[in-house]
Amino acid sequence: MSSSPALPNTTALDPAVAARLKRDAHGLVPAIAQQYDTGEVLMMGWMDDEALHRTLTTGRCTYWSRSRAEYWVKGDTSGHLQLVKSVALDCDGDTVLVKVDQVGAACHTGDRTCFDAGQLLITGS
Amino acid sequence: MSSSPALPNTTALDPAVAARLKRDAHGLVPAIAQQYDTGEVLMMGWMDDEALHRTLTTGRCTYWSRSRAEYWVKGDTSGHLQLVKSVALDCDGDTVLVKVDQVGAACHTGDRTCFDAGQLLITGS
């Protein structure tokens, strides 16, 4: 069920929230997942209205997978769930911040976060 | 100078970094700004190769403003600078995480972060 795409206009996302969303040309907004207690930025995914609705109502962070073109309940296959603690929209409605309790690794590589292996710069100050 | 767009192919971004970037159709990647010590997610902006190069080399977080179509050194007009502490690329090269020391408010509304006013859900657990 979690991987079945919603039919157009079948999302039950609160219309008041939907009215605030500024989506890209593909109907998506970037969603930042952050560990709620440590503050680690874990990963970034994409949500359409229905993914946001599912994230708000199921307690499990749900993205739209652009590569697979389907809904993606984080952890459904890996067990590395993201249990939703809070959801916020930014000031211009084009980015979602989801604070979660991440079970295990957020990254498909096994790293805790998707940014662990990609340091480009660390300043001394 | 900071607001002048780079001419095509004039960016001095390290080619090894440029080769890892997966840009959208507009040549941009989302960039998450996070307060380096508290972990607050401050805002999300967009960077092209040159904005990333400037962020890596000037010590001040620099975005590409999609609305104004120009480089945007955060704080140049507001004084609310983002002093760069570290920069990381995610596992698939399509998102940048910049840890900064944010001077004053990150949000144009005067809020500390762009997510402060947009809570959609806070769970009790």
Side-chain angles (χ1 to χ4, degrees), chain A residues 34 39 87 89 114 118 120-121, chain B residues 34 39 85 87 89 91 114 118 120:
Chain A
Q34 180 181 32
V87 182
L89 202 57
C114 290
L120 300 179
L121 176 76
Chain B
Q34 179 181 34
K85 295 290 188 176
V87 182
L89 202 57
C91 55
C114 290
L120 300 179

Side-chain angles (χ1 to χ4, degrees), chain A residues 47-114:
Chain A
M47 293 185 182
D48 65 359
D49 288 39
E50 176 65 14
L52 178 56
H53 174 65
R54 295 183 189 188
T55 296
L56 286 167
T57 55
T58 65
R60 292 168 60 174
C61 201
T62 305
Y63 303 95
W64 175 256
S65 168
R66 297 180 300 171
S67 56
R68 298 194 304 270
E70 63 181 21
Y71 291 104
W72 166 37
V73 179
K74 174 70 179 173
D76 246 8
T77 53
S78 66
H80 295 168
L81 297 173
Q82 293 180 333
L83 306 172
V84 176
K85 296 289 188 176
S86 67
V87 182
L89 202 57
D90 78 343
C91 55
D92 52 5
D94 66 6
T95 307
V96 172
L97 176 63
V98 187
K99 294 189 183 182
V100 302
D101 194 6
Q102 171 71 55
V103 177
C107 189
H108 72 286
T109 63
D111 283 343
R112 173 68 179 171
T113 91
C114 290

Side-chain angles (χ1 to χ4, degrees), chain A residues 17 20 30 32 34 36 38-41 43-44 46 52 55-57 66 84-92 94-97 99 107-109 114-125, chain B residues 17 20 30 32 34 36 38-41 43-44 46 52 55-57 66 84-92 94-97 99 107-109 114-125:
Chain A
V17 174
R20 293 164 62 188
I32 303 163
Q34 180 181 32
Y36 80 105
T38 64
E40 293 162 293
V41 173
M43 57 173 283
M44 209 205 65
W46 296 83
L52 178 56
T55 296
L56 286 167
T57 55
R66 297 180 300 171
V84 176
K85 296 289 188 176
S86 67
V87 182
L89 202 57
D90 78 343
C91 55
D92 52 5
D94 66 6
T95 307
V96 172
L97 176 63
K99 294 189 183 182
C107 189
H108 72 286
T109 63
C114 290
F115 300 94
D116 289 359
Q119 285 292 345
L120 300 179
L121 176 76
I122 304 175
T123 68
S125 58
Chain B
V17 174
R20 293 164 61 188
I32 302 164
Q34 179 181 34
Y36 80 104
T38 64
E40 294 163 291
V41 174
M43 58 173 283
M44 209 205 66
W46 295 84
L52 178 56
T55 297
L56 286 166
T57 55
R66 298 180 300 173
V84 175
K85 295 290 188 176
S86 68
V87 182
L89 202 57
D90 77 343
C91 55
D92 53 4
D94 66 5
T95 307
V96 172
L97 176 63
K99 295 190 182 182
C107 189
H108 73 286
T109 64
C114 290
F115 299 94
D116 289 358
Q119 285 292 345
L120 300 179
L121 176 76
I122 304 176
T123 67
S125 57

Side-chain angles (χ1 to χ4, degrees), chain B residues 11-25:
Chain B
T11 181
L13 180 66
D14 180 344
V17 174
R20 293 164 61 188
L21 282 184
K22 288 192 190 138
R23 308 161 192 81
D24 72 8

